[in-house]
Amino acid sequence: MAQGIEETSCDSVKMCEEEPVTKKLPKWIKLNVGGKVFMTSISTLTKEPGMLTKMFSQDDAMRPSETDDQGAFLIDRSPKYFEPILNYLRSGQLIFDTNVNPQGILEEARFFGIETLIPQLEDTVRRNTVTSDMPLTRRDVVTAIIQTCNLSELRFQGINLAGADLRRLDLRKVNFKYACLSRCNLSYANLTNCCLERCDLSHADLSYAQMISLKALCANMEGANLQECNFEDPTGSRSNLEGVNLKGACLEGSNMAGVNLRVANLKNANMKNCNLRAAILAGADLEKCNLSGSDLQEANLRGANFKDAQLELMLTPLHMSQAIR
């Protein structure tokens, strides 16, 4: 009889050893993150799926194994970047001091797997990168257009868009004054009523673009491709390119009727088969410019420099009243 009791006791001890004891966490706990103590609730930490939920759910498979002398769970991460993560879990809003690098918060969000916060931080990091003179991208411009009800209020003044792919975008009335659009692809874009004053459009691709009522005073379009562009407004409004630099640019086949190109630099430009009816080219430098097959009827050419310009197959003869020199 005593033997049976002894065997039963041993079996009970064995069963107790096999059953893991899970210590239930209180509703509020302390975290020691890189030496800084945070007090928070379990419900906050487990609000979103990710590493923190795995650490502090009732299943303690990933729970930090060590605590400090105050009983706070030790987590070896930066408190500066962890604090905005914790505040986001508390309020659902991303708030952080201006002296905190959002890139660090982004890495923290990735580490803890806070998936809903990662896209917002990526946008913040990208915007901060833009302000440090990095060029904007097509995505940046499209986002700005979507978020703006009236495109006339959209300003990219002085912004760096060098090399951006802006093909076929509707950019009507957008203000690009002083912007850098060098080597930008604007082919087939609608630039009607745009302000490109003093822009850098050197070697940009503007082929087949709509450029009605454009303002591009003193813009730099050296080496740009403006083939088959349309500048003519049926209502009679003129595009203003006074003082523009179009040296070596290609304007072949463009409709430039009525365009103001006063004192423009058109040296070595390709203006074959252009419609330049009633255009203002007074004082323009057309040295070595190819105007073969172009229509210059009623154009103002007073004081223009036609040295070594190609004028073959002109649709209308140049008149003395146009005062070519």
Side-chain angles (χ1 to χ4, degrees), residues 159-163 176-184 186 196-204 218-222:
I159 295 296
N160 186 0
L161 282 155
F176 289 103
K177 189 173 181 179
Y178 294 107
C180 177
L181 294 156
S182 178
R183 302 186 183 279
C184 190
L186 286 155
L196 294 169
E197 186 176 342
R198 300 184 185 276
C199 275
D200 181 2
L201 284 151
S202 56
H203 305 285
C218 301
N220 179 17
M221 296 184 180
E222 183 171 353

mmCIF file with all atom_site columns, all heavy atoms in Angstrom, residues 159-163 176-184 186 196-204 218-222:
data_model
loop_
_atom_site.group_PDB
_atom_site.id
_atom_site.type_symbol
_atom_site.label_atom_id
_atom_site.label_alt_id
_atom_site.label_comp_id
_atom_site.label_asym_id
_atom_site.label_entity_id
_atom_site.label_seq_id
_atom_site.pdbx_PDB_ins_code
_atom_site.Cartn_x
_atom_site.Cartn_y
_atom_site.Cartn_z
_atom_site.occupancy
_atom_site.B_iso_or_equiv
_atom_site.pdbx_formal_charge
_atom_site.auth_seq_id
_atom_site.auth_comp_id
_atom_site.auth_asym_id
_atom_site.auth_atom_id
_atom_site.pdbx_PDB_model_num
ATOM 1   N N   . ILE A 1 159 ? 12.493 74.643 -57.285 1.00 0.00 ? 159 ILE A N   1
ATOM 2   C CA  . ILE A 1 159 ? 12.631 73.236 -56.910 1.00 0.00 ? 159 ILE A CA  1
ATOM 3   C C   . ILE A 1 159 ? 13.519 72.502 -57.918 1.00 0.00 ? 159 ILE A C   1
ATOM 4   O O   . ILE A 1 159 ? 13.523 72.785 -59.104 1.00 0.00 ? 159 ILE A O   1
ATOM 5   C CB  . ILE A 1 159 ? 11.242 72.563 -56.840 1.00 0.00 ? 159 ILE A CB  1
ATOM 6   C CG1 . ILE A 1 159 ? 10.413 73.184 -55.719 1.00 0.00 ? 159 ILE A CG1 1
ATOM 7   C CG2 . ILE A 1 159 ? 11.357 71.067 -56.620 1.00 0.00 ? 159 ILE A CG2 1
ATOM 8   C CD1 . ILE A 1 159 ? 10.981 72.979 -54.336 1.00 0.00 ? 159 ILE A CD1 1
ATOM 9   N N   . ASN A 1 160 ? 14.260 71.521 -57.426 1.00 0.00 ? 160 ASN A N   1
ATOM 10  C CA  . ASN A 1 160 ? 15.127 70.715 -58.277 1.00 0.00 ? 160 ASN A CA  1
ATOM 11  C C   . ASN A 1 160 ? 14.350 69.525 -58.817 1.00 0.00 ? 160 ASN A C   1
ATOM 12  O O   . ASN A 1 160 ? 13.984 68.610 -58.074 1.00 0.00 ? 160 ASN A O   1
ATOM 13  C CB  . ASN A 1 160 ? 16.340 70.236 -57.468 1.00 0.00 ? 160 ASN A CB  1
ATOM 14  C CG  . ASN A 1 160 ? 17.353 69.502 -58.345 1.00 0.00 ? 160 ASN A CG  1
ATOM 15  O OD1 . ASN A 1 160 ? 17.162 69.357 -59.548 1.00 0.00 ? 160 ASN A OD1 1
ATOM 16  N ND2 . ASN A 1 160 ? 18.434 69.047 -57.742 1.00 0.00 ? 160 ASN A ND2 1
ATOM 17  N N   . LEU A 1 161 ? 14.090 69.533 -60.122 1.00 0.00 ? 161 LEU A N   1
ATOM 18  C CA  . LEU A 1 161 ? 13.413 68.430 -60.806 1.00 0.00 ? 161 LEU A CA  1
ATOM 19  C C   . LEU A 1 161 ? 14.308 67.849 -61.907 1.00 0.00 ? 161 LEU A C   1
ATOM 20  O O   . LEU A 1 161 ? 13.816 67.238 -62.850 1.00 0.00 ? 161 LEU A O   1
ATOM 21  C CB  . LEU A 1 161 ? 12.093 68.915 -61.408 1.00 0.00 ? 161 LEU A CB  1
ATOM 22  C CG  . LEU A 1 161 ? 10.927 69.082 -60.431 1.00 0.00 ? 161 LEU A CG  1
ATOM 23  C CD1 . LEU A 1 161 ? 9.933  70.092 -60.949 1.00 0.00 ? 161 LEU A CD1 1
ATOM 24  C CD2 . LEU A 1 161 ? 10.248 67.754 -60.181 1.00 0.00 ? 161 LEU A CD2 1
ATOM 25  N N   . ALA A 1 162 ? 15.594 68.036 -61.769 1.00 0.00 ? 162 ALA A N   1
ATOM 26  C CA  . ALA A 1 162 ? 16.532 67.612 -62.808 1.00 0.00 ? 162 ALA A CA  1
ATOM 27  C C   . ALA A 1 162 ? 16.363 66.130 -63.115 1.00 0.00 ? 162 ALA A C   1
ATOM 28  O O   . ALA A 1 162 ? 16.361 65.288 -62.219 1.00 0.00 ? 162 ALA A O   1
ATOM 29  C CB  . ALA A 1 162 ? 17.966 67.892 -62.359 1.00 0.00 ? 162 ALA A CB  1
ATOM 30  N N   . GLY A 1 163 ? 16.191 65.827 -64.407 1.00 0.00 ? 163 GLY A N   1
ATOM 31  C CA  . GLY A 1 163 ? 16.102 64.442 -64.850 1.00 0.00 ? 163 GLY A CA  1
ATOM 32  C C   . GLY A 1 163 ? 14.781 63.756 -64.571 1.00 0.00 ? 163 GLY A C   1
ATOM 33  O O   . GLY A 1 163 ? 14.641 62.562 -64.852 1.00 0.00 ? 163 GLY A O   1
ATOM 34  N N   . PHE A 1 176 ? 6.693  77.073 -62.204 1.00 0.00 ? 176 PHE A N   1
ATOM 35  C CA  . PHE A 1 176 ? 8.023  76.468 -62.129 1.00 0.00 ? 176 PHE A CA  1
ATOM 36  C C   . PHE A 1 176 ? 9.124  77.534 -62.118 1.00 0.00 ? 176 PHE A C   1
ATOM 37  O O   . PHE A 1 176 ? 10.275 77.238 -62.437 1.00 0.00 ? 176 PHE A O   1
ATOM 38  C CB  . PHE A 1 176 ? 8.266  75.551 -63.331 1.00 0.00 ? 176 PHE A CB  1
ATOM 39  C CG  . PHE A 1 176 ? 7.470  74.274 -63.322 1.00 0.00 ? 176 PHE A CG  1
ATOM 40  C CD1 . PHE A 1 176 ? 6.346  74.132 -64.127 1.00 0.00 ? 176 PHE A CD1 1
ATOM 41  C CD2 . PHE A 1 176 ? 7.854  73.206 -62.525 1.00 0.00 ? 176 PHE A CD2 1
ATOM 42  C CE1 . PHE A 1 176 ? 5.624  72.953 -64.144 1.00 0.00 ? 176 PHE A CE1 1
ATOM 43  C CE2 . PHE A 1 176 ? 7.132  72.022 -62.532 1.00 0.00 ? 176 PHE A CE2 1
ATOM 44  C CZ  . PHE A 1 176 ? 6.008  71.893 -63.341 1.00 0.00 ? 176 PHE A CZ  1
ATOM 45  N N   . LYS A 1 177 ? 8.796  78.744 -61.775 1.00 0.00 ? 177 LYS A N   1
ATOM 46  C CA  . LYS A 1 177 ? 9.767  79.836 -61.849 1.00 0.00 ? 177 LYS A CA  1
ATOM 47  C C   . LYS A 1 177 ? 11.050 79.467 -61.093 1.00 0.00 ? 177 LYS A C   1
ATOM 48  O O   . LYS A 1 177 ? 11.017 79.007 -59.959 1.00 0.00 ? 177 LYS A O   1
ATOM 49  C CB  . LYS A 1 177 ? 9.159  81.108 -61.260 1.00 0.00 ? 177 LYS A CB  1
ATOM 50  C CG  . LYS A 1 177 ? 9.991  82.358 -61.477 1.00 0.00 ? 177 LYS A CG  1
ATOM 51  C CD  . LYS A 1 177 ? 9.231  83.592 -61.003 1.00 0.00 ? 177 LYS A CD  1
ATOM 52  C CE  . LYS A 1 177 ? 10.015 84.864 -61.234 1.00 0.00 ? 177 LYS A CE  1
ATOM 53  N NZ  . LYS A 1 177 ? 9.271  86.070 -60.788 1.00 0.00 ? 177 LYS A NZ  1
ATOM 54  N N   . TYR A 1 178 ? 12.191 79.686 -61.756 1.00 0.00 ? 178 TYR A N   1
ATOM 55  C CA  . TYR A 1 178 ? 13.529 79.424 -61.216 1.00 0.00 ? 178 TYR A CA  1
ATOM 56  C C   . TYR A 1 178 ? 13.805 77.939 -60.951 1.00 0.00 ? 178 TYR A C   1
ATOM 57  O O   . TYR A 1 178 ? 14.830 77.587 -60.364 1.00 0.00 ? 178 TYR A O   1
ATOM 58  C CB  . TYR A 1 178 ? 13.778 80.207 -59.919 1.00 0.00 ? 178 TYR A CB  1
ATOM 59  C CG  . TYR A 1 178 ? 13.822 81.697 -60.078 1.00 0.00 ? 178 TYR A CG  1
ATOM 60  C CD1 . TYR A 1 178 ? 12.776 82.493 -59.633 1.00 0.00 ? 178 TYR A CD1 1
ATOM 61  C CD2 . TYR A 1 178 ? 14.910 82.326 -60.681 1.00 0.00 ? 178 TYR A CD2 1
ATOM 62  C CE1 . TYR A 1 178 ? 12.806 83.876 -59.775 1.00 0.00 ? 178 TYR A CE1 1
ATOM 63  C CE2 . TYR A 1 178 ? 14.951 83.709 -60.832 1.00 0.00 ? 178 TYR A CE2 1
ATOM 64  C CZ  . TYR A 1 178 ? 13.902 84.475 -60.375 1.00 0.00 ? 178 TYR A CZ  1
ATOM 65  O OH  . TYR A 1 178 ? 13.932 85.837 -60.527 1.00 0.00 ? 178 TYR A OH  1
ATOM 66  N N   . ALA A 1 179 ? 12.912 77.048 -61.334 1.00 0.00 ? 179 ALA A N   1
ATOM 67  C CA  . ALA A 1 179 ? 13.118 75.620 -61.066 1.00 0.00 ? 179 ALA A CA  1
ATOM 68  C C   . ALA A 1 179 ? 14.195 75.047 -61.973 1.00 0.00 ? 179 ALA A C   1
ATOM 69  O O   . ALA A 1 179 ? 14.475 75.563 -63.059 1.00 0.00 ? 179 ALA A O   1
ATOM 70  C CB  . ALA A 1 179 ? 11.810 74.858 -61.255 1.00 0.00 ? 179 ALA A CB  1
ATOM 71  N N   . CYS A 1 180 ? 14.799 73.948 -61.523 1.00 0.00 ? 180 CYS A N   1
ATOM 72  C CA  . CYS A 1 180 ? 15.776 73.226 -62.345 1.00 0.00 ? 180 CYS A CA  1
ATOM 73  C C   . CYS A 1 180 ? 15.074 72.036 -62.979 1.00 0.00 ? 180 CYS A C   1
ATOM 74  O O   . CYS A 1 180 ? 14.693 71.085 -62.292 1.00 0.00 ? 180 CYS A O   1
ATOM 75  C CB  . CYS A 1 180 ? 16.956 72.752 -61.498 1.00 0.00 ? 180 CYS A CB  1
ATOM 76  S SG  . CYS A 1 180 ? 18.160 71.789 -62.456 1.00 0.00 ? 180 CYS A SG  1
ATOM 77  N N   . LEU A 1 181 ? 14.890 72.113 -64.294 1.00 0.00 ? 181 LEU A N   1
ATOM 78  C CA  . LEU A 1 181 ? 14.263 71.039 -65.068 1.00 0.00 ? 181 LEU A CA  1
ATOM 79  C C   . LEU A 1 181 ? 15.237 70.503 -66.110 1.00 0.00 ? 181 LEU A C   1
ATOM 80  O O   . LEU A 1 181 ? 14.832 69.948 -67.129 1.00 0.00 ? 181 LEU A O   1
ATOM 81  C CB  . LEU A 1 181 ? 12.992 71.559 -65.742 1.00 0.00 ? 181 LEU A CB  1
ATOM 82  C CG  . LEU A 1 181 ? 11.853 71.944 -64.796 1.00 0.00 ? 181 LEU A CG  1
ATOM 83  C CD1 . LEU A 1 181 ? 10.921 72.956 -65.441 1.00 0.00 ? 181 LEU A CD1 1
ATOM 84  C CD2 . LEU A 1 181 ? 11.069 70.727 -64.363 1.00 0.00 ? 181 LEU A CD2 1
ATOM 85  N N   . SER A 1 182 ? 16.509 70.641 -65.832 1.00 0.00 ? 182 SER A N   1
ATOM 86  C CA  . SER A 1 182 ? 17.535 70.195 -66.773 1.00 0.00 ? 182 SER A CA  1
ATOM 87  C C   . SER A 1 182 ? 17.401 68.697 -67.046 1.00 0.00 ? 182 SER A C   1
ATOM 88  O O   . SER A 1 182 ? 17.238 67.895 -66.124 1.00 0.00 ? 182 SER A O   1
ATOM 89  C CB  . SER A 1 182 ? 18.918 70.493 -66.182 1.00 0.00 ? 182 SER A CB  1
ATOM 90  O OG  . SER A 1 182 ? 19.931 70.034 -67.041 1.00 0.00 ? 182 SER A OG  1
ATOM 91  N N   . ARG A 1 183 ? 17.439 68.348 -68.333 1.00 0.00 ? 183 ARG A N   1
ATOM 92  C CA  . ARG A 1 183 ? 17.337 66.946 -68.785 1.00 0.00 ? 183 ARG A CA  1
ATOM 93  C C   . ARG A 1 183 ? 16.029 66.269 -68.338 1.00 0.00 ? 183 ARG A C   1
ATOM 94  O O   . ARG A 1 183 ? 15.925 65.053 -68.293 1.00 0.00 ? 183 ARG A O   1
ATOM 95  C CB  . ARG A 1 183 ? 18.548 66.128 -68.323 1.00 0.00 ? 183 ARG A CB  1
ATOM 96  C CG  . ARG A 1 183 ? 19.870 66.690 -68.824 1.00 0.00 ? 183 ARG A CG  1
ATOM 97  C CD  . ARG A 1 183 ? 21.060 65.813 -68.498 1.00 0.00 ? 183 ARG A CD  1
ATOM 98  N NE  . ARG A 1 183 ? 22.289 66.437 -68.930 1.00 0.00 ? 183 ARG A NE  1
ATOM 99  C CZ  . ARG A 1 183 ? 22.767 66.432 -70.174 1.00 0.00 ? 183 ARG A CZ  1
ATOM 100 N NH1 . ARG A 1 183 ? 22.091 65.790 -71.106 1.00 0.00 ? 183 ARG A NH1 1
ATOM 101 N NH2 . ARG A 1 183 ? 23.894 67.036 -70.488 1.00 0.00 ? 183 ARG A NH2 1
ATOM 102 N N   . CYS A 1 184 ? 15.052 67.076 -68.009 1.00 0.00 ? 184 CYS A N   1
ATOM 103 C CA  . CYS A 1 184 ? 13.742 66.559 -67.603 1.00 0.00 ? 184 CYS A CA  1
ATOM 104 C C   . CYS A 1 184 ? 12.972 66.084 -68.844 1.00 0.00 ? 184 CYS A C   1
ATOM 105 O O   . CYS A 1 184 ? 13.101 66.669 -69.922 1.00 0.00 ? 184 CYS A O   1
ATOM 106 C CB  . CYS A 1 184 ? 12.980 67.670 -66.901 1.00 0.00 ? 184 CYS A CB  1
ATOM 107 S SG  . CYS A 1 184 ? 11.485 67.138 -66.098 1.00 0.00 ? 184 CYS A SG  1
ATOM 108 N N   . LEU A 1 186 ? 9.632  66.057 -70.504 1.00 0.00 ? 186 LEU A N   1
ATOM 109 C CA  . LEU A 1 186 ? 8.311  66.675 -70.503 1.00 0.00 ? 186 LEU A CA  1
ATOM 110 C C   . LEU A 1 186 ? 7.585  66.442 -71.831 1.00 0.00 ? 186 LEU A C   1
ATOM 111 O O   . LEU A 1 186 ? 6.674  67.179 -72.183 1.00 0.00 ? 186 LEU A O   1
ATOM 112 C CB  . LEU A 1 186 ? 8.443  68.175 -70.248 1.00 0.00 ? 186 LEU A CB  1
ATOM 113 C CG  . LEU A 1 186 ? 8.777  68.575 -68.797 1.00 0.00 ? 186 LEU A CG  1
ATOM 114 C CD1 . LEU A 1 186 ? 9.480  69.922 -68.758 1.00 0.00 ? 186 LEU A CD1 1
ATOM 115 C CD2 . LEU A 1 186 ? 7.525  68.609 -67.941 1.00 0.00 ? 186 LEU A CD2 1
ATOM 116 N N   . LEU A 1 196 ? 7.464  79.301 -66.653 1.00 0.00 ? 196 LEU A N   1
ATOM 117 C CA  . LEU A 1 196 ? 8.806  78.711 -66.706 1.00 0.00 ? 196 LEU A CA  1
ATOM 118 C C   . LEU A 1 196 ? 9.872  79.805 -66.700 1.00 0.00 ? 196 LEU A C   1
ATOM 119 O O   . LEU A 1 196 ? 10.982 79.609 -67.190 1.00 0.00 ? 196 LEU A O   1
ATOM 120 C CB  . LEU A 1 196 ? 8.952  77.849 -67.965 1.00 0.00 ? 196 LEU A CB  1
ATOM 121 C CG  . LEU A 1 196 ? 8.077  76.594 -68.024 1.00 0.00 ? 196 LEU A CG  1
ATOM 122 C CD1 . LEU A 1 196 ? 8.116  75.977 -69.417 1.00 0.00 ? 196 LEU A CD1 1
ATOM 123 C CD2 . LEU A 1 196 ? 8.506  75.574 -66.992 1.00 0.00 ? 196 LEU A CD2 1
ATOM 124 N N   . GLU A 1 197 ? 9.530  80.939 -66.143 1.00 0.00 ? 197 GLU A N   1
ATOM 125 C CA  . GLU A 1 197 ? 10.438 82.080 -66.144 1.00 0.00 ? 197 GLU A CA  1
ATOM 126 C C   . GLU A 1 197 ? 11.753 81.739 -65.445 1.00 0.00 ? 197 GLU A C   1
ATOM 127 O O   . GLU A 1 197 ? 11.759 81.251 -64.314 1.00 0.00 ? 197 GLU A O   1
ATOM 128 C CB  . GLU A 1 197 ? 9.771  83.266 -65.451 1.00 0.00 ? 197 GLU A CB  1
ATOM 129 C CG  . GLU A 1 197 ? 10.574 84.546 -65.521 1.00 0.00 ? 197 GLU A CG  1
ATOM 130 C CD  . GLU A 1 197 ? 9.833  85.730 -64.915 1.00 0.00 ? 197 GLU A CD  1
ATOM 131 O OE1 . GLU A 1 197 ? 8.596  85.634 -64.753 1.00 0.00 ? 197 GLU A OE1 1
ATOM 132 O OE2 . GLU A 1 197 ? 10.492 86.731 -64.591 1.00 0.00 ? 197 GLU A OE2 1
ATOM 133 N N   . ARG A 1 198 ? 12.854 81.978 -66.176 1.00 0.00 ? 198 ARG A N   1
ATOM 134 C CA  . ARG A 1 198 ? 14.217 81.765 -65.666 1.00 0.00 ? 198 ARG A CA  1
ATOM 135 C C   . ARG A 1 198 ? 14.462 80.331 -65.204 1.00 0.00 ? 198 ARG A C   1
ATOM 136 O O   . ARG A 1 198 ? 15.314 80.063 -64.354 1.00 0.00 ? 198 ARG A O   1
ATOM 137 C CB  . ARG A 1 198 ? 14.540 82.761 -64.552 1.00 0.00 ? 198 ARG A CB  1
ATOM 138 C CG  . ARG A 1 198 ? 14.447 84.214 -65.005 1.00 0.00 ? 198 ARG A CG  1
ATOM 139 C CD  . ARG A 1 198 ? 14.848 85.204 -63.942 1.00 0.00 ? 198 ARG A CD  1
ATOM 140 N NE  . ARG A 1 198 ? 14.626 86.575 -64.405 1.00 0.00 ? 198 ARG A NE  1
ATOM 141 C CZ  . ARG A 1 198 ? 15.476 87.273 -65.150 1.00 0.00 ? 198 ARG A CZ  1
ATOM 142 N NH1 . ARG A 1 198 ? 16.629 86.725 -65.506 1.00 0.00 ? 198 ARG A NH1 1
ATOM 143 N NH2 . ARG A 1 198 ? 15.184 88.503 -65.529 1.00 0.00 ? 198 ARG A NH2 1
ATOM 144 N N   . CYS A 1 199 ? 13.711 79.396 -65.765 1.00 0.00 ? 199 CYS A N   1
ATOM 145 C CA  . CYS A 1 199 ? 13.934 77.970 -65.477 1.00 0.00 ? 199 CYS A CA  1
ATOM 146 C C   . CYS A 1 199 ? 15.174 77.466 -66.198 1.00 0.00 ? 199 CYS A C   1
ATOM 147 O O   . CYS A 1 199 ? 15.560 77.982 -67.248 1.00 0.00 ? 199 CYS A O   1
ATOM 148 C CB  . CYS A 1 199 ? 12.748 77.139 -65.956 1.00 0.00 ? 199 CYS A CB  1
ATOM 149 S SG  . CYS A 1 199 ? 11.424 77.043 -64.782 1.00 0.00 ? 199 CYS A SG  1
ATOM 150 N N   . ASP A 1 200 ? 15.760 76.411 -65.654 1.00 0.00 ? 200 ASP A N   1
ATOM 151 C CA  . ASP A 1 200 ? 16.825 75.707 -66.357 1.00 0.00 ? 200 ASP A CA  1
ATOM 152 C C   . ASP A 1 200 ? 16.214 74.483 -67.014 1.00 0.00 ? 200 ASP A C   1
ATOM 153 O O   . ASP A 1 200 ? 15.899 73.494 -66.347 1.00 0.00 ? 200 ASP A O   1
ATOM 154 C CB  . ASP A 1 200 ? 17.925 75.291 -65.373 1.00 0.00 ? 200 ASP A CB  1
ATOM 155 C CG  . ASP A 1 200 ? 19.082 74.574 -66.078 1.00 0.00 ? 200 ASP A CG  1
ATOM 156 O OD1 . ASP A 1 200 ? 19.040 74.445 -67.326 1.00 0.00 ? 200 ASP A OD1 1
ATOM 157 O OD2 . ASP A 1 200 ? 20.022 74.143 -65.382 1.00 0.00 ? 200 ASP A OD2 1
ATOM 158 N N   . LEU A 1 201 ? 15.999 74.578 -68.323 1.00 0.00 ? 201 LEU A N   1
ATOM 159 C CA  . LEU A 1 201 ? 15.450 73.474 -69.113 1.00 0.00 ? 201 LEU A CA  1
ATOM 160 C C   . LEU A 1 201 ? 16.485 72.968 -70.114 1.00 0.00 ? 201 LEU A C   1
ATOM 161 O O   . LEU A 1 201 ? 16.132 72.402 -71.149 1.00 0.00 ? 201 LEU A O   1
ATOM 162 C CB  . LEU A 1 201 ? 14.189 73.924 -69.845 1.00 0.00 ? 201 LEU A CB  1
ATOM 163 C CG  . LEU A 1 201 ? 12.926 74.038 -68.984 1.00 0.00 ? 201 LEU A CG  1
ATOM 164 C CD1 . LEU A 1 201 ? 11.995 75.094 -69.532 1.00 0.00 ? 201 LEU A CD1 1
ATOM 165 C CD2 . LEU A 1 201 ? 12.212 72.703 -68.893 1.00 0.00 ? 201 LEU A CD2 1
ATOM 166 N N   . SER A 1 202 ? 17.748 73.171 -69.804 1.00 0.00 ? 202 SER A N   1
ATOM 167 C CA  . SER A 1 202 ? 18.804 72.773 -70.733 1.00 0.00 ? 202 SER A CA  1
ATOM 168 C C   . SER A 1 202 ? 18.739 71.268 -70.998 1.00 0.00 ? 202 SER A C   1
ATOM 169 O O   . SER A 1 202 ? 18.619 70.462 -70.076 1.00 0.00 ? 202 SER A O   1
ATOM 170 C CB  . SER A 1 202 ? 20.170 73.147 -70.161 1.00 0.00 ? 202 SER A CB  1
ATOM 171 O OG  . SER A 1 202 ? 20.363 72.585 -68.883 1.00 0.00 ? 202 SER A OG  1
ATOM 172 N N   . HIS A 1 203 ? 18.757 70.920 -72.277 1.00 0.00 ? 203 HIS A N   1
ATOM 173 C CA  . HIS A 1 203 ? 18.761 69.528 -72.748 1.00 0.00 ? 203 HIS A CA  1
ATOM 174 C C   . HIS A 1 203 ? 17.519 68.745 -72.287 1.00 0.00 ? 203 HIS A C   1
ATOM 175 O O   . HIS A 1 203 ? 17.547 67.517 -72.229 1.00 0.00 ? 203 HIS A O   1
ATOM 176 C CB  . HIS A 1 203 ? 20.038 68.810 -72.311 1.00 0.00 ? 203 HIS A CB  1
ATOM 177 C CG  . HIS A 1 203 ? 21.287 69.519 -72.741 1.00 0.00 ? 203 HIS A CG  1
ATOM 178 N ND1 . HIS A 1 203 ? 21.737 69.506 -74.049 1.00 0.00 ? 203 HIS A ND1 1
ATOM 179 C CD2 . HIS A 1 203 ? 22.152 70.299 -72.037 1.00 0.00 ? 203 HIS A CD2 1
ATOM 180 C CE1 . HIS A 1 203 ? 22.846 70.236 -74.121 1.00 0.00 ? 203 HIS A CE1 1
ATOM 181 N NE2 . HIS A 1 203 ? 23.115 70.727 -72.933 1.00 0.00 ? 203 HIS A NE2 1
ATOM 182 N N   . ALA A 1 204 ? 16.449 69.457 -71.957 1.00 0.00 ? 204 ALA A N   1
ATOM 183 C CA  . ALA A 1 204 ? 15.193 68.793 -71.593 1.00 0.00 ? 204 ALA A CA  1
ATOM 184 C C   . ALA A 1 204 ? 14.470 68.334 -72.856 1.00 0.00 ? 204 ALA A C   1
ATOM 185 O O   . ALA A 1 204 ? 14.678 68.875 -73.947 1.00 0.00 ? 204 ALA A O   1
ATOM 186 C CB  . ALA A 1 204 ? 14.311 69.740 -70.794 1.00 0.00 ? 204 ALA A CB  1
ATOM 187 N N   . CYS A 1 218 ? 13.503 84.561 -70.291 1.00 0.00 ? 218 CYS A N   1
ATOM 188 C CA  . CYS A 1 218 ? 14.898 84.335 -69.887 1.00 0.00 ? 218 CYS A CA  1
ATOM 189 C C   . CYS A 1 218 ? 15.157 82.906 -69.422 1.00 0.00 ? 218 CYS A C   1
ATOM 190 O O   . CYS A 1 218 ? 16.110 82.663 -68.662 1.00 0.00 ? 218 CYS A O   1
ATOM 191 C CB  . CYS A 1 218 ? 15.328 85.314 -68.804 1.00 0.00 ? 218 CYS A CB  1
ATOM 192 S SG  . CYS A 1 218 ? 15.179 87.051 -69.304 1.00 0.00 ? 218 CYS A SG  1
ATOM 193 N N   . ALA A 1 219 ? 14.334 81.967 -69.847 1.00 0.00 ? 219 ALA A N   1
ATOM 194 C CA  . ALA A 1 219 ? 14.579 80.566 -69.495 1.00 0.00 ? 219 ALA A CA  1
ATOM 195 C C   . ALA A 1 219 ? 15.774 80.036 -70.271 1.00 0.00 ? 219 ALA A C   1
ATOM 196 O O   . ALA A 1 219 ? 16.076 80.499 -71.375 1.00 0.00 ? 219 ALA A O   1
ATOM 197 C CB  . ALA A 1 219 ? 13.343 79.722 -69.786 1.00 0.00 ? 219 ALA A CB  1
ATOM 198 N N   . ASN A 1 220 ? 16.450 79.051 -69.701 1.00 0.00 ? 220 ASN A N   1
ATOM 199 C CA  . ASN A 1 220 ? 17.581 78.421 -70.374 1.00 0.00 ? 220 ASN A CA  1
ATOM 200 C C   . ASN A 1 220 ? 17.113 77.098 -70.977 1.00 0.00 ? 220 ASN A C   1
ATOM 201 O O   . ASN A 1 220 ? 16.903 76.121 -70.268 1.00 0.00 ? 220 ASN A O   1
ATOM 202 C CB  . ASN A 1 220 ? 18.719 78.169 -69.386 1.00 0.00 ? 220 ASN A CB  1
ATOM 203 C CG  . ASN A 1 220 ? 19.904 77.483 -70.059 1.00 0.00 ? 220 ASN A CG  1
ATOM 204 O OD1 . ASN A 1 220 ? 20.011 77.470 -71.289 1.00 0.00 ? 220 ASN A OD1 1
ATOM 205 N ND2 . ASN A 1 220 ? 20.793 76.904 -69.271 1.00 0.00 ? 220 ASN A ND2 1
ATOM 206 N N   . MET A 1 221 ? 16.947 77.097 -72.317 1.00 0.00 ? 221 MET A N   1
ATOM 207 C CA  . MET A 1 221 ? 16.521 75.894 -73.026 1.00 0.00 ? 221 MET A CA  1
ATOM 208 C C   . MET A 1 221 ? 17.603 75.433 -73.998 1.00 0.00 ? 221 MET A C   1
ATOM 209 O O   . MET A 1 221 ? 17.316 74.820 -75.025 1.00 0.00 ? 221 MET A O   1
ATOM 210 C CB  . MET A 1 221 ? 15.214 76.149 -73.778 1.00 0.00 ? 221 MET A CB  1
ATOM 211 C CG  . MET A 1 221 ? 14.028 76.472 -72.888 1.00 0.00 ? 221 MET A CG  1
ATOM 212 S SD  . MET A 1 221 ? 12.502 76.634 -73.848 1.00 0.00 ? 221 MET A SD  1
ATOM 213 C CE  . MET A 1 221 ? 11.317 77.003 -72.551 1.00 0.00 ? 221 MET A CE  1
ATOM 214 N N   . GLU A 1 222 ? 18.832 75.719 -73.676 1.00 0.00 ? 222 GLU A N   1
ATOM 215 C CA  . GLU A 1 222 ? 19.930 75.347 -74.564 1.00 0.00 ? 222 GLU A CA  1
ATOM 216 C C   . GLU A 1 222 ? 19.950 73.835 -74.782 1.00 0.00 ? 222 GLU A C   1
ATOM 217 O O   . GLU A 1 222 ? 19.920 73.042 -73.847 1.00 0.00 ? 222 GLU A O   1
ATOM 218 C CB  . GLU A 1 222 ? 21.266 75.789 -73.980 1.00 0.00 ? 222 GLU A CB  1
ATOM 219 C CG  . GLU A 1 222 ? 22.444 75.497 -74.886 1.00 0.00 ? 222 GLU A CG  1
ATOM 220 C CD  . GLU A 1 222 ? 23.757 76.120 -74.402 1.00 0.00 ? 222 GLU A CD  1
ATOM 221 O OE1 . GLU A 1 222 ? 23.726 76.895 -73.425 1.00 0.00 ? 222 GLU A OE1 1
ATOM 222 O OE2 . GLU A 1 222 ? 24.801 75.823 -75.008 1.00 0.00 ? 222 GLU A OE2 1
#
